[in-house]
């Protein structure tokens, strides 16, 4: 369930209250006339079940509330209310499967910023994976996968492609390209530094590494794993199941592949560097493709659910529309 705080201009308050009051997924509706100061207007509070949240937000935006007022939404962790239970029963679909597109866009949009934190995390993750490659230690590879922040921009890229937001697409691609290039350059330098210190050597890369050599030997299963991870990652994001997302992060060798490219390039083993680069491209492409297809399926599914439900819930008219309709009706016969 989401808690909505809506600042509404006074001339739109009646239409917004009618809209919210008529939706079966809305409950705990309260109106505080004139309570808002910046921007000025009425403050409307309500809770809405996740199954109807996307529809309600869309209708509020259709009325233009955000242009002169504002809409804020927060997750409600606990609700003890018979009215809320009835709203959940009357709304179509399951709250666990519901997708609130504005929420997903806002969440993933934050991941496109090429911040210092993002760069530090991806550099540290790649350097850890580089050491794991040389030592043939899967535990270091897994640790690097968890630390790596690359799934954020990948998810944002999928959402932006679906919603046709070229600016977000550009920022996501920039974050990924700059992030991986910086991480690989840092890993090349760290490999040279560790070699100069006598901690690692080229022979460690050329030796048999049965536990980690899959990183630079892509095959058909690499594509399959990338697709499955993309589906699971996007579902974990849209359904707010962060525990599943951790499993996704340790199943795809994006950061380890980048690390293997860097380590192999540092030692001039170009065949292995090329194989790792191909592994990286395969995984990134598979995740984006699978994530985008998952979002398309979810969008089509929820449109179908709402279409089936729409016939039983009449759309409320705004005050202006109702007056206009009434003015067009022929007058009743006085006799």
């Amino acid at each position: 369930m989401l808690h909505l705080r809506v600042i509404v201009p006074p001339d739109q308050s009646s239409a917004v209250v009618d809209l919210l009051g008529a939706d079966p997924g809305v409950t705990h509706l309260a109106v505080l006339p004139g309570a808002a100061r910046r921007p000025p207007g009425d403050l409307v509070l309500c809770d809405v079940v996740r199954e109807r949240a996307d529809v309600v937000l869309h209708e509020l935006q259709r009325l233009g509330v955000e242009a002169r007022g504002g809409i804020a939404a927060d997750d409600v962790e606990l609700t003890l209310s018979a009215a809320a239970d009835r709203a959940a029963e009357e709304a179509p679909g399951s709250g666990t499967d519901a997708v609130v597109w504005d929420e997903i866009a806002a969440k993933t949009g934050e991941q496109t910023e090429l911040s210092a934190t993002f760069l530090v995390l991806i550099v540290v993750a790649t350097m850890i994976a580089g050491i794991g490659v040389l030592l043939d230690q899967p535990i270091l590879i897994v640790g690097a996968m968890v630390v790596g922040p690359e799934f954020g921009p990948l998810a944002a890229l999928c959402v932006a492609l679906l919603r046709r937001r070229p600016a977000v697409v550009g920022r996501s691609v920039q974050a990924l390209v700059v992030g991986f290039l910086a991480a690989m350059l840092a890993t090349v330098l760290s490999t040279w530094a560790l070699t100069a210190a006598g901690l690692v050597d080229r022979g460690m890369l050329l030796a048999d590494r049965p536990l980690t050599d899959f990183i630079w030997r892509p095959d058909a299963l690499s594509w399959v794993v990338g697709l499955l991870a993309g589906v699971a990652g996007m579902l974990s994001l849209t359904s707010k199941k962060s525990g599943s997302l951790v499993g996704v992060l340790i199943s795809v060798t994006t950061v380890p592949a980048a690390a293997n490219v860097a380590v192999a390039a540092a030692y001039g083993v170009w065949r292995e560097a090329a194989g790792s680069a191909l592994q990286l491209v395969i995984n990134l492409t598979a995740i984006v493709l699978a994530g985008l297809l998952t979002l398309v399926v979810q969008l089509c599914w929820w449109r179908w659910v709402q279409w089936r439900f729409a016939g039983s819930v009449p759309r409320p008219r705004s005050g202006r529309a109702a007056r206009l309709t009434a003015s067009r009706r022929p007058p009743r016969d006085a006799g």
Side-chain angles (χ1 to χ4, degrees):
M1 179 167 282
L2 292 180
H3 178 67
L4 299 185
R5 300 186 307 279
V6 187
I7 296 178
V8 188
D11 60 317
Q12 288 186 302
S13 184
S14 177
V16 169
V17 172
D18 288 345
L19 167 69
L20 297 174
D23 195 291
V26 175
T27 187
H28 306 151
L29 178 60
V31 182
L32 304 177
R37 293 292 181 267
R38 187 183 299 174
D42 299 338
L43 178 61
V44 179
L45 307 173
C46 69
D47 292 332
V48 55
V49 296
R50 292 188 65 86
E51 302 92 295
R52 294 292 296 172
D54 193 65
V55 174
V56 169
L57 291 172
H58 176 75
E59 291 298 319
L60 289 173
Q61 292 175 74
R62 185 180 63 83
L63 292 175
V65 173
E66 80 283 1
R68 297 169 55 200
I71 306 170
D74 296 312
D75 280 315
V76 179
E77 298 295 338
L78 175 64
T79 301
L80 303 176
S81 168
D85 293 339
R86 285 193 299 270
E89 292 174 0
E90 294 176 7
S94 168
T96 303
D97 298 330
V99 180
V100 184
W101 294 101
D102 288 311
E103 178 187 46
I104 299 303
K107 183 187 302 182
T108 56
E110 297 173 354
Q111 306 298 322
T112 63
E113 183 180 356
L114 190 59
S115 63
T117 300
F118 175 83
L119 288 175
V120 169
L121 284 175
I122 197 168
V123 166
V124 168
T126 307
M127 291 173 65
I128 292 173
I131 296 174
V133 164
L134 291 172
L135 297 180
D136 196 30
Q137 286 292 334
I139 191 168
L140 295 178
I141 300 298
V142 171
M145 290 176 178
V146 175
V147 173
E150 75 280 5
F151 187 77
L154 288 172
L157 178 60
C158 296
V159 175
L161 288 172
L162 180 67
R163 294 169 68 93
R164 287 173 287 188
R165 302 286 177 84
V168 180
V169 171
R171 291 200 302 270
S172 301
V173 173
Q174 180 188 44
L176 290 168
V177 172
V178 174
F180 274 114
L181 288 179
M184 287 189 284
L185 176 60
T187 304
V188 168
L189 296 176
S190 68
T191 301
W192 287 343
L194 292 173
T195 303
L199 299 177
V200 297
D201 57 62
R202 189 171 187 270
M204 298 172 69
L205 181 70
L206 299 177
D208 290 336
R209 293 178 287 126
L211 299 180
T212 58
D213 67 352
F214 69 92
I215 295 173
W216 66 277
R217 298 179 186 272
D219 53 23
L221 287 178
S222 301
W223 178 257
V224 173
V225 170
L227 288 173
L228 295 176
V231 173
M234 194 55 64
L235 285 176
S236 68
L237 183 66
T238 57
S239 63
K240 303 177 70 64
K241 293 188 177 296
S242 58
S244 301
L245 184 57
V246 174
V248 174
L249 297 178
I250 64 175
S251 65
V252 184
T253 55
T254 48
V255 164
N260 211 112
V261 172
V263 172
Y267 288 131
V269 185
W270 300 113
R271 176 170 172 267
E272 187 164 332
S276 303
L278 179 59
Q279 179 79 273
L280 177 62
V281 171
I282 288 174
N283 281 310
L284 292 176
T285 304
I287 290 174
V288 172
L289 179 60
L292 183 58
L293 290 176
T294 301
L295 289 174
V296 170
V297 170
Q298 288 181 295
L299 178 62
C300 293
W301 166 255
W302 275 102
R303 282 184 176 177
W304 179 75
V305 169
Q306 299 301 335
W307 173 78
R308 290 189 60 190
F309 181 72
S312 61
V313 181
R315 176 178 291 178
R317 295 181 181 273
S318 66
R320 180 182 177 186
R323 290 192 297 271
L324 182 59
T325 302
S327 67
R328 291 176 178 173
R329 290 174 183 165
R332 291 186 178 181
D333 187 354

